[in-house]
Amino acid sequence: VTAKTSSASAHRLLDRLEELGSVGATADGGVCRIALSDADREGRNLVRRWMGEIGLEVLVDQIGNIFGRYPIGDDSPAVMIGSHIDSVATGGKFDGNLGVLAGLELAQTFIERKIEFSRPIVVAVFTNEEGVRYSPDMMGSLVFAGGLSLDAALGSVGIDGTRLGSELERIGYRGDLPIGAIPIHAYVELHIEQGPVLEAEGTVIGAVEMVQGISWTECTIQGQSNHAGTTPMRLRRDAAWAACNIADFIHQLAGDMGGTQVGTVGRISLSPNLINVVARQAVFTVDLRNTDDARLSEAEKRFDAYARDLTQKAGMTLETKRLVRLPPVKFDDRIVALVEEASLSLGFSVKRMPSGAGHDAQMLAARCPAGMIFVPSVGGISHNVREFTKPEHIEAGLSVLERVAITLCIQGGPYSALSTL
Ligand code: GLV
Ligand code: MN
Ligand code: MN
C-alpha cells in the first residue's frame, strides 16, 4: 500500500468541520464548547456517532477521552491520530477539531478502501485540552500519558466552582476504559498553527519540532475597599491598581527578555467591581511561555519578585497558586523528519518550527514517539471567533497526515518506513 492508492476526502473533512462547528456556535460566527459543558457533550455525541457510523470501535476512558479504533478489538500498538474538540469561550471551528476530524477522515478512507495495515488506527478525542475552565490544560492527554493521577484530574475545581468529576458524570462521559489502556506505536496530530509564521513566509506545512514551556499562575491580591471619592490616594490599598501594575510589568518583562518569551494576563476579576469603590480584591492569571526552560524559570522569578515587592510595599497581600508548569517538549526526530519528507514528496513547502501553543501531542510524547503537522492560520489569528484556515491548506495538511499515518501503519519495524518515503 502506498499513499497514492488511497486518497482521503478533503470535502468530507470540510463538511464535518462545518457541522461540528455548528455545535455551540456563537452569534458572531465562533464556537463556545467549553470542556464538559452541554455543548461539549453535544459535540462529543456527534463525533462518537460518526465514529460508530464509519465502523470504528468506540471506547471512552475514565477521564472521558474518546477513542475510535480500527480494526475492532485489535489491541496491538496503534498509530494514534487525535486532538481535542473542547474550545475556549471565543473559539473557532478549527482549533483541535481539525486533528480529530482529519483522523476520522483517514480511518473512513482506509475502511472504505479496505486497506489493511499491520497496525490499528486509533482516532483520539482528549478531554479538556483548553484548560480555561479546569486546570491543567491538556488534561485528558496528560492523564492518559501518566503525568497526572485520575483522582487529581477528577478533583479539579473549575472557575465556576464545579468539580470536573461531577461534570464528566453529568454529561455522560465518565467511561470505564482504564487509563492508558490503549498501547500506542506512535502519535500524530494535525493542527492549525494559531500563529502568523507559516502565512507570513508563504509556507504550507509546519513540521513541529517542539512545544514551548508553559507556566500558569493565579494571583489573588487583597487590599481594602473604600470610598472612591473620599479616600486620599496615599491611604489606599487598591487591588485593581496593583493588578494592573503587575499586568503592565508582565508585558514589559516579556518584551525585555525577548526571544520566544511571551506573557499574558488573560483573566482578571475585581471585587466588589463597582465604579465608586476602591477594589478590595483582584484575582488574575499570568501565562508565561518560553522555548527555553531556564529562561521561563527566570521570567517566573522576576514576575514573582516584582509582584511580592509591589503588594508588600502597598500594604496588600499576595497569594499565588501555580496552575500549570510544563517544560518545553521535543518531538521525536524521526517523526519530524517523516513530516518533512512527506510534505516535500507531495510538493508542499515545509518548515521546521516550534509550537507556541500547548497541544495534546506534548503529553503523548512522554509515552510514545510523537509529532505534529501545522497548517497556516489566516492572519495568525486563533482563540478568536475569526480563526480561519483556507480549504487548500486543510487539504494539504490532510494529505501529509495521510502519508505519515500510512507510513507509520504499514511497516514492520518502528521506523524502517522513513527510508521508503
Ligand atoms: C492550550 O491550548 C494553550 O496553548 O493555551
Ligand atoms: Mn488546540
Ligand atoms: Mn486552543
Side-chain angles (χ1 to χ4, degrees):
V1 178
T2 71
K4 290 181 202 74
T5 64
S6 162
S7 179
S9 161
H11 281 293
R12 205 161 48 185
L13 169 56
L14 289 163
D15 286 349
R16 284 200 178 117
L17 279 165
E18 278 303 314
E19 192 173 342
L20 184 53
S22 73
V23 179
T26 57
D28 51 8
V31 173
C32 178
R33 273 201 318 271
I34 292 178
L36 312 181
S37 61
D38 290 350
D40 186 21
R41 164 168 51 195
E42 219 186 306
R44 287 162 170 268
N45 288 348
L46 179 59
V47 173
R48 190 171 62 175
R49 196 191 84 209
W50 280 331
M51 285 177 167
E53 282 170 2
I54 69 173
L56 303 184
E57 172 185 21
V58 181
L59 304 158
V60 180
D61 77 7
Q62 294 162 316
I63 192 64
N65 296 321
I66 307 170
F67 302 102
R69 179 162 63 186
Y70 172 79
I72 291 171
D74 185 344
D75 61 4
S76 59
V79 172
M80 184 177 277
I81 302 171
S83 195
H84 62 97
I85 65 165
D86 68 312
S87 77
V88 297
T90 55
K93 297 183 178 77
F94 299 89
D95 180 357
N97 304 309
L98 175 61
V100 169
L101 298 180
L104 194 71
E105 175 52 37
L106 288 192
Q108 183 168 11
T109 303
F110 298 158
I111 292 169
E112 284 173 352
R113 299 185 182 219
K114 300 190 168 48
I115 299 170
E116 300 257 327
F117 295 111
S118 54
R119 298 184 193 286
I121 281 231
V122 171
V123 181
V125 181
F126 291 107
T127 294
N128 184 33
E129 190 273 350
E130 293 291 5
V132 292
R133 185 180 182 194
Y134 301 100
S135 285
D137 52 350
M138 284 80 75
M139 185 190 276
S141 47
L142 180 61
V143 171
F144 178 82
L148 179 70
S149 76
L150 175 62
D151 284 347
L154 295 173
S156 174
V157 175
I159 55 174
D160 52 5
T162 56
R163 201 180 140 271
L164 184 140
S166 315
E167 286 291 277
L168 191 59
E169 200 97 50
R170 184 185 70 80
I171 67 163
Y173 277 88
R174 176 98 197 258
D176 48 20
L177 181 74
I179 295 300
I182 297 187
I184 319 173
H185 171 65
Y187 177 85
V188 193
E189 182 167 346
L190 172 62
H191 206 285
I192 55 170
E193 181 201 336
Q194 307 183 272
V197 176
L198 291 175
E199 183 184 67
E201 299 190 358
T203 303
V204 177
I205 299 292
V208 187
E209 292 185 292
M210 57 112 51
V211 179
Q212 65 182 348
I214 303 176
S215 165
W216 282 3
T217 306
E218 185 182 76
C219 301
T220 303
I221 294 176
Q222 298 288 352
Q224 185 180 55
S225 56
N226 211 332
H227 196 291
T230 63
T231 314
M233 297 311 287
R234 67 188 163 76
L235 294 181
R236 292 181 182 215
R237 287 152 64 199
D238 183 344
W241 166 81
C244 292
N245 208 305
I246 293 166
D248 181 50
F249 177 80
I250 294 292
H251 190 88
Q252 293 203 34
L253 172 70
D256 286 353
M257 287 183 67
T260 58
Q261 183 64 51
V262 287
T264 307
V265 173
R267 165 159 70 83
I268 181 164
S269 65
L270 301 176
S271 300
N273 205 30
L274 298 169
I275 188 167
N276 55 357
V277 183
V278 174
R280 165 177 47 83
Q281 180 182 273
V283 180
F284 60 99
T285 54
V286 176
D287 174 320
L288 297 169
R289 308 196 193 198
N290 199 311
T291 52
D292 180 334
D293 206 36
R295 299 281 286 163
L296 181 56
S297 296
E298 183 193 330
E300 285 175 318
K301 281 202 195 82
R302 286 171 65 177
F303 142 60
D304 194 74
Y306 182 86
R308 286 192 193 288
D309 184 57
L310 178 103
T311 45
Q312 200 211 331
K313 281 182 178 149
M316 291 181 257
T317 62
L318 169 70
E319 268 175 52
T320 57
K321 188 168 146 204
R322 181 60 43 83
L323 301 177
V324 171
R325 182 61 169 87
L326 297 165
V329 174
K330 243 179 82 41
F331 288 127
D332 192 283
D333 284 339
R334 297 161 297 184
I335 296 195
V336 179
L338 185 52
V339 170
E340 207 170 37
E341 288 172 43
S343 304
L344 291 173
S345 71
L346 288 161
F348 300 125
S349 51
V350 58
K351 176 193 173 68
R352 288 181 174 237
M353 64 189 297
S355 170
H359 296 289
D360 294 306
Q362 78 190 81
M363 301 309 181
L364 272 292
R367 194 152 154 198
C368 65
M372 292 189 77
I373 302 163
F374 274 177
V375 287
S377 291
V378 172
I381 289 173
S382 186
H383 284 187
N384 182 317
V385 299
R386 283 168 53 224
E387 171 186 285
F388 185 67
T389 291
K390 292 179 181 161
E392 65 259 39
H393 291 149
I394 299 282
E395 184 163 12
L398 178 65
S399 56
V400 172
L401 178 69
E402 179 178 35
R403 190 160 285 212
V404 168
I406 288 176
T407 306
L408 292 167
C409 275
I410 59 175
Q411 300 300 323
Y415 297 98
S416 51
L418 288 176
S419 58
T420 69
L421 258 185

Coordinates of all heavy atoms in Angstrom, one line a residue, residues 217-285:
T217 N -0.1 30.9 36.4 CA -0.3 31.2 37.9 C -1.5 32.0 38.1 O -1.9 32.9 37.3 CB 0.9 32.1 38.3 OG1 2.1 31.4 38.0 CG2 0.9 32.3 39.8
E218 N -2.2 31.7 39.1 CA -3.4 32.5 39.5 C -3.0 33.3 40.7 O -2.5 32.8 41.7 CB -4.6 31.7 39.9 CG -5.8 32.5 40.1 CD -7.1 31.6 40.5 OE1 -7.1 31.2 41.7 OE2 -7.9 31.5 39.7
C219 N -3.2 34.6 40.7 CA -2.8 35.6 41.7 C -4.0 36.1 42.4 O -5.0 36.5 41.7 CB -2.0 36.7 41.2 SG -0.5 36.3 40.3
T220 N -4.0 36.2 43.7 CA -5.0 36.9 44.4 C -4.4 38.0 45.3 O -3.6 37.7 46.1 CB -5.8 35.9 45.3 OG1 -6.3 34.8 44.5 CG2 -7.0 36.5 46.1
I221 N -4.8 39.2 45.0 CA -4.3 40.3 45.8 C -5.5 40.8 46.7 O -6.6 41.0 46.3 CB -3.9 41.5 44.9 CG1 -2.6 41.0 44.1 CG2 -3.6 42.7 45.7 CD1 -2.2 42.0 43.1
Q222 N -5.2 41.0 48.0 CA -6.1 41.5 48.9 C -5.7 42.9 49.3 O -4.6 43.1 49.8 CB -6.2 40.7 50.2 CG -6.6 39.3 50.1 CD -8.1 39.1 49.7 OE1 -8.9 40.1 49.8 NE2 -8.5 37.9 49.4
G223 N -6.6 43.9 49.1 CA -6.4 45.2 49.6 C -7.5 45.6 50.5 O -7.9 44.8 51.3
Q224 N -8.0 46.8 50.3 CA -9.2 47.2 51.2 C -10.1 48.1 50.4 O -9.7 49.0 49.7 CB -8.7 48.0 52.4 CG -9.8 48.3 53.4 CD -9.2 49.2 54.5 OE1 -8.6 50.2 54.3 NE2 -9.5 48.7 55.7
S225 N -11.4 47.7 50.4 CA -12.4 48.5 49.7 C -12.7 49.8 50.5 O -12.6 49.8 51.7 CB -13.6 47.8 49.3 OG -14.2 47.2 50.5
N226 N -12.9 50.9 49.8 CA -13.2 52.1 50.4 C -13.8 53.1 49.4 O -13.9 52.7 48.2 CB -11.9 52.7 51.0 CG -12.1 53.5 52.2 OD1 -13.2 54.1 52.4 ND2 -11.1 53.6 53.1
H227 N -14.2 54.2 49.9 CA -14.9 55.2 49.1 C -14.0 55.8 48.0 O -12.9 56.3 48.4 CB -15.6 56.2 49.9 CG -16.6 57.0 49.2 ND1 -16.4 57.9 48.2 CD2 -18.0 57.0 49.4 CE1 -17.5 58.5 47.8 NE2 -18.5 57.9 48.5
A228 N -14.4 55.8 46.8 CA -13.5 56.3 45.7 C -13.4 57.8 45.7 O -12.4 58.4 45.2 CB -14.1 55.9 44.3
G229 N -14.3 58.5 46.4 CA -14.3 60.0 46.4 C -13.6 60.5 47.6 O -13.0 61.6 47.6
T230 N -13.6 59.8 48.7 CA -13.1 60.4 50.0 C -11.8 59.8 50.4 O -11.1 60.4 51.3 CB -14.1 60.0 51.1 OG1 -14.2 58.6 51.2 CG2 -15.5 60.6 50.8
T231 N -11.3 58.7 49.9 CA -10.1 58.1 50.4 C -8.9 58.7 49.7 O -8.7 58.6 48.5 CB -10.1 56.6 50.1 OG1 -11.4 56.0 50.5 CG2 -9.0 55.9 50.9
P232 N -8.0 59.4 50.5 CA -6.8 60.0 49.9 C -6.0 59.0 49.2 O -5.9 57.8 49.7 CB -6.1 60.6 51.1 CG -7.1 60.7 52.2 CD -8.1 59.6 51.9
M233 N -5.3 59.3 48.1 CA -4.5 58.4 47.4 C -3.5 57.6 48.3 O -3.3 56.5 48.1 CB -3.8 59.1 46.2 CG -4.8 59.7 45.2 SD -6.1 58.6 44.6 CE -5.3 57.4 43.6
R234 N -2.9 58.4 49.2 CA -1.8 57.8 50.0 C -2.3 56.8 51.0 O -1.6 56.0 51.5 CB -1.0 58.9 50.7 CG -1.7 59.6 51.7 CD -1.0 60.8 52.3 NE -1.9 61.7 53.0 CZ -2.5 61.4 54.2 NH1 -2.1 60.4 54.9 NH2 -3.4 62.2 54.7
L235 N -3.6 56.8 51.2 CA -4.2 55.8 52.2 C -4.8 54.6 51.5 O -5.4 53.7 52.2 CB -5.2 56.5 53.1 CG -4.6 57.6 54.0 CD1 -5.8 58.2 54.9 CD2 -3.5 57.0 54.9
R236 N -4.7 54.5 50.2 CA -5.5 53.4 49.5 C -4.7 52.1 49.5 O -3.4 52.1 49.4 CB -5.7 53.8 48.1 CG -6.7 54.9 48.0 CD -7.0 55.3 46.6 NE -8.0 56.4 46.7 CZ -8.9 56.7 45.8 NH1 -9.1 55.8 44.8 NH2 -9.7 57.7 46.0
R237 N -5.4 51.0 49.6 CA -4.8 49.7 49.3 C -5.7 49.2 48.2 O -6.6 48.4 48.4 CB -4.9 48.9 50.6 CG -3.8 49.3 51.6 CD -4.2 49.1 53.0 NE -4.3 47.6 53.3 CZ -5.0 47.0 54.3 NH1 -5.6 47.8 55.1 NH2 -5.0 45.8 54.4
D238 N -5.3 49.6 47.0 CA -6.1 49.4 45.8 C -5.7 48.2 45.0 O -4.7 48.2 44.3 CB -6.0 50.7 45.0 CG -6.9 50.7 43.8 OD1 -7.4 49.6 43.4 OD2 -7.1 51.8 43.2
A239 N -6.4 47.1 45.1 CA -6.1 45.8 44.5 C -6.1 46.0 43.0 O -5.4 45.3 42.3 CB -7.0 44.7 45.0
A240 N -7.0 46.8 42.4 CA -7.1 47.0 41.0 C -5.8 47.6 40.5 O -5.3 47.2 39.4 CB -8.3 47.8 40.6
W241 N -5.4 48.6 41.2 CA -4.1 49.3 40.7 C -3.0 48.3 40.8 O -2.2 48.3 39.8 CB -3.9 50.5 41.7 CG -2.5 51.0 41.6 CD1 -2.0 51.8 40.6 CD2 -1.4 50.7 42.4 NE1 -0.7 52.1 40.8 CE2 -0.2 51.3 41.9 CE3 -1.2 49.9 43.5 CZ2 1.0 51.2 42.4 CZ3 0.1 49.8 44.1 CH2 1.2 50.5 43.5
A242 N -2.9 47.5 41.8 CA -1.8 46.5 41.9 C -1.8 45.5 40.8 O -0.8 45.2 40.1 CB -1.8 45.8 43.3
A243 N -3.0 45.0 40.5 CA -3.1 44.0 39.4 C -2.7 44.6 38.1 O -2.0 44.0 37.3 CB -4.6 43.5 39.4
C244 N -3.2 45.8 37.8 CA -2.9 46.5 36.5 C -1.4 46.7 36.4 O -0.8 46.6 35.3 CB -3.7 47.7 36.4 SG -5.4 47.5 36.2
N245 N -0.8 47.1 37.5 CA 0.6 47.4 37.5 C 1.4 46.1 37.2 O 2.4 46.1 36.4 CB 1.0 47.9 38.9 CG 2.2 48.8 38.9 OD1 3.2 48.4 38.4 ND2 2.0 50.0 39.4
I246 N 1.0 45.0 37.8 CA 1.7 43.7 37.5 C 1.4 43.3 36.1 O 2.3 42.8 35.4 CB 1.2 42.7 38.6 CG1 1.7 43.0 40.0 CG2 1.7 41.3 38.2 CD1 1.0 42.3 41.1
A247 N 0.2 43.5 35.6 CA -0.1 43.2 34.2 C 0.9 43.9 33.3 O 1.4 43.4 32.3 CB -1.5 43.4 33.8
D248 N 1.1 45.2 33.6 CA 2.0 46.0 32.8 C 3.4 45.5 32.9 O 4.1 45.4 31.9 CB 1.9 47.5 33.3 CG 2.8 48.4 32.5 OD1 2.7 48.4 31.2 OD2 3.6 49.1 33.1
F249 N 3.8 45.1 34.1 CA 5.2 44.5 34.3 C 5.3 43.3 33.4 O 6.4 43.1 32.8 CB 5.4 44.2 35.8 CG 6.7 43.6 36.0 CD1 7.9 44.3 36.1 CD2 6.8 42.2 36.1 CE1 9.1 43.7 36.3 CE2 8.1 41.6 36.3 CZ 9.2 42.3 36.4
I250 N 4.3 42.4 33.4 CA 4.4 41.1 32.6 C 4.7 41.4 31.1 O 5.5 40.8 30.5 CB 3.1 40.3 32.8 CG1 2.9 39.8 34.2 CG2 3.0 39.2 31.8 CD1 3.9 38.8 34.7
H251 N 3.9 42.4 30.6 CA 4.0 42.8 29.2 C 5.5 43.3 28.9 O 6.1 42.9 28.0 CB 3.0 43.9 28.9 CG 2.8 44.2 27.5 ND1 2.0 43.5 26.7 CD2 3.4 45.1 26.7 CE1 2.1 44.0 25.4 NE2 2.9 45.0 25.4
Q252 N 5.9 44.1 29.8 CA 7.3 44.7 29.6 C 8.4 43.7 29.8 O 9.4 43.7 29.1 CB 7.5 45.9 30.6 CG 6.6 47.0 30.3 CD 7.2 48.3 30.9 OE1 8.4 48.5 30.9 NE2 6.3 49.2 31.3
L253 N 8.2 42.8 30.8 CA 9.2 41.8 31.1 C 9.4 40.9 29.8 O 10.5 40.6 29.4 CB 8.7 40.9 32.2 CG 9.5 39.6 32.5 CD1 10.8 40.0 33.1 CD2 8.7 38.7 33.5
A254 N 8.3 40.5 29.2 CA 8.4 39.6 28.0 C 9.1 40.4 26.9 O 10.0 39.8 26.2 CB 7.0 39.2 27.5
G255 N 8.8 41.6 26.7 CA 9.5 42.5 25.7 C 11.0 42.6 26.0 O 11.8 42.4 25.2
D256 N 11.3 42.8 27.3 CA 12.7 43.0 27.7 C 13.5 41.7 27.5 O 14.6 41.7 27.1 CB 12.8 43.3 29.2 CG 12.4 44.7 29.5 OD1 12.2 45.5 28.6 OD2 12.3 45.0 30.7
M257 N 12.9 40.6 27.9 CA 13.6 39.3 27.8 C 13.8 38.9 26.3 O 14.8 38.3 26.0 CB 12.8 38.2 28.5 CG 13.0 38.4 30.0 SD 12.2 37.0 31.0 CE 13.2 35.6 30.5
G258 N 12.9 39.3 25.4 CA 13.0 39.0 24.0 C 12.9 37.5 23.7 O 12.5 36.7 24.5
G259 N 13.5 37.1 22.6 CA 13.5 35.7 22.2 C 12.0 35.2 22.0 O 11.2 35.9 21.5
T260 N 11.8 34.0 22.6 CA 10.4 33.5 22.5 C 9.5 33.8 23.7 O 8.4 33.4 23.8 CB 10.4 32.0 22.3 OG1 11.1 31.4 23.5 CG2 11.1 31.5 21.0
Q261 N 10.1 34.6 24.6 CA 9.3 34.9 25.8 C 8.1 35.7 25.5 O 8.1 36.7 24.9 CB 10.2 35.7 26.8 CG 9.5 35.9 28.2 CD 9.2 34.6 28.9 OE1 10.1 33.8 29.1 NE2 8.0 34.5 29.4
V262 N 6.9 35.1 26.0 CA 5.7 35.9 25.9 C 5.0 35.9 27.3 O 5.3 35.0 28.2 CB 4.7 35.2 24.9 CG1 5.1 35.5 23.5 CG2 4.5 33.7 25.1
G263 N 4.2 36.8 27.6 CA 3.5 36.9 28.9 C 2.1 37.5 28.7 O 2.0 38.5 28.0
T264 N 1.1 37.0 29.4 CA -0.2 37.4 29.2 C -1.0 37.4 30.5 O -0.9 36.4 31.3 CB -1.0 36.4 28.3 OG1 -0.2 36.2 27.1 CG2 -2.4 36.8 28.0
V265 N -1.7 38.5 30.8 CA -2.7 38.5 31.9 C -4.0 38.4 31.2 O -4.5 39.4 30.6 CB -2.6 39.7 32.8 CG1 -3.8 39.7 33.8 CG2 -1.3 39.7 33.5
G266 N -4.6 37.2 31.1 CA -5.8 37.0 30.3 C -7.1 37.0 31.0 O -8.2 37.2 30.4
R267 N -7.1 36.8 32.3 CA -8.3 36.7 33.1 C -8.1 37.6 34.4 O -7.1 37.5 35.0 CB -8.6 35.3 33.5 CG -9.7 35.1 34.6 CD -10.3 33.8 34.7 NE -9.5 32.7 35.1 CZ -9.2 32.3 36.3 NH1 -9.7 33.0 37.3 NH2 -8.4 31.3 36.6
I268 N -9.0 38.5 34.6 CA -8.9 39.3 35.8 C -10.3 39.6 36.4 O -11.2 39.8 35.6 CB -8.2 40.6 35.5 CG1 -8.0 41.6 36.7 CG2 -8.9 41.4 34.3 CD1 -7.0 42.7 36.5
S269 N -10.4 39.5 37.7 CA -11.7 39.9 38.2 C -11.5 40.7 39.5 O -10.6 40.4 40.3 CB -12.6 38.7 38.5 OG -12.1 37.9 39.5
L270 N -12.3 41.7 39.6 CA -12.2 42.7 40.8 C -13.4 42.5 41.7 O -14.5 42.2 41.2 CB -12.1 44.1 40.3 CG -10.9 44.4 39.3 CD1 -11.1 45.9 38.8 CD2 -9.6 44.2 40.0
S271 N -13.1 42.7 42.9 CA -14.3 42.8 43.9 C -14.1 44.0 44.7 O -13.0 44.4 45.1 CB -14.2 41.6 44.9 OG -14.3 40.4 44.2
P272 N -15.2 44.7 44.9 CA -16.6 44.4 44.5 C -16.9 44.8 43.1 O -18.0 44.6 42.6 CB -17.5 45.1 45.5 CG -16.7 46.3 46.0 CD -15.2 45.9 45.9
N273 N -16.0 45.3 42.3 CA -16.2 45.7 40.9 C -17.3 46.7 40.7 O -18.2 46.5 39.9 CB -16.5 44.4 40.1 CG -16.2 44.5 38.6 OD1 -15.2 45.2 38.3 ND2 -16.9 43.8 37.8
L274 N -17.1 47.8 41.4 CA -18.1 48.9 41.3 C -17.4 50.2 41.1 O -16.2 50.5 41.5 CB -18.8 49.0 42.7 CG -19.6 47.8 43.1 CD1 -20.1 47.9 44.5 CD2 -20.8 47.6 42.1
I275 N -18.1 51.1 40.4 CA -17.4 52.3 39.8 C -16.9 53.2 40.9 O -15.8 53.8 40.8 CB -18.4 53.1 38.9 CG1 -17.6 54.3 38.2 CG2 -19.6 53.6 39.7 CD1 -18.4 54.9 37.1
N276 N -17.5 53.3 42.1 CA -17.1 54.2 43.1 C -16.6 53.6 44.3 O -16.6 54.1 45.4 CB -18.3 55.2 43.4 CG -19.5 54.4 43.9 OD1 -19.5 53.2 43.8 ND2 -20.5 55.2 44.3
V277 N -16.0 52.4 44.1 CA -15.4 51.6 45.3 C -14.0 51.2 44.9 O -13.8 50.5 43.9 CB -16.3 50.4 45.7 CG1 -15.7 49.7 46.9 CG2 -17.7 50.8 45.9
V278 N -13.0 51.6 45.8 CA -11.7 51.1 45.6 C -11.7 49.5 45.7 O -12.4 49.0 46.6 CB -10.7 51.6 46.7 CG1 -9.4 51.0 46.6 CG2 -10.7 53.2 46.5
A279 N -11.1 48.8 44.8 CA -11.2 47.3 44.8 C -10.5 46.7 46.0 O -9.4 47.0 46.3 CB -10.6 46.8 43.5
R280 N -11.3 45.9 46.6 CA -10.8 45.1 47.8 C -9.9 43.9 47.3 O -8.9 43.6 48.0 CB -12.0 44.6 48.6 CG -11.7 43.5 49.6 CD -12.9 43.1 50.4 NE -14.1 42.9 49.5 CZ -14.3 41.7 48.9 NH1 -13.5 40.7 49.0 NH2 -15.4 41.6 48.1
Q281 N -10.3 43.3 46.2 CA -9.6 42.1 45.8 C -9.5 42.1 44.3 O -10.4 42.5 43.6 CB -10.4 40.9 46.3 CG -9.7 39.5 45.8 CD -10.6 38.3 46.3 OE1 -10.4 37.8 47.4 NE2 -11.4 37.9 45.4
A282 N -8.3 41.5 43.8 CA -8.1 41.3 42.4 C -7.6 39.8 42.3 O -6.7 39.4 43.0 CB -7.1 42.2 41.8
V283 N -8.3 39.1 41.4 CA -7.9 37.7 41.1 C -7.5 37.8 39.6 O -8.4 38.2 38.8 CB -8.9 36.7 41.4 CG1 -8.4 35.3 41.0 CG2 -9.4 36.7 42.8
F284 N -6.3 37.4 39.3 CA -5.9 37.4 37.8 C -4.9 36.3 37.5 O -4.3 35.7 38.4 CB -5.4 38.7 37.4 CG -4.2 39.2 38.2 CD1 -2.9 39.0 37.6 CD2 -4.2 39.7 39.5 CE1 -1.7 39.4 38.3 CE2 -3.1 40.1 40.1 CZ -1.9 39.9 39.6
T285 N -4.9 35.9 36.2 CA -4.0 34.9 35.8 C -2.8 35.4 35.0 O -2.9 36.4 34.3 CB -4.7 33.9 34.9 OG1 -5.3 34.6 33.8 CG2 -5.8 33.1 35.7

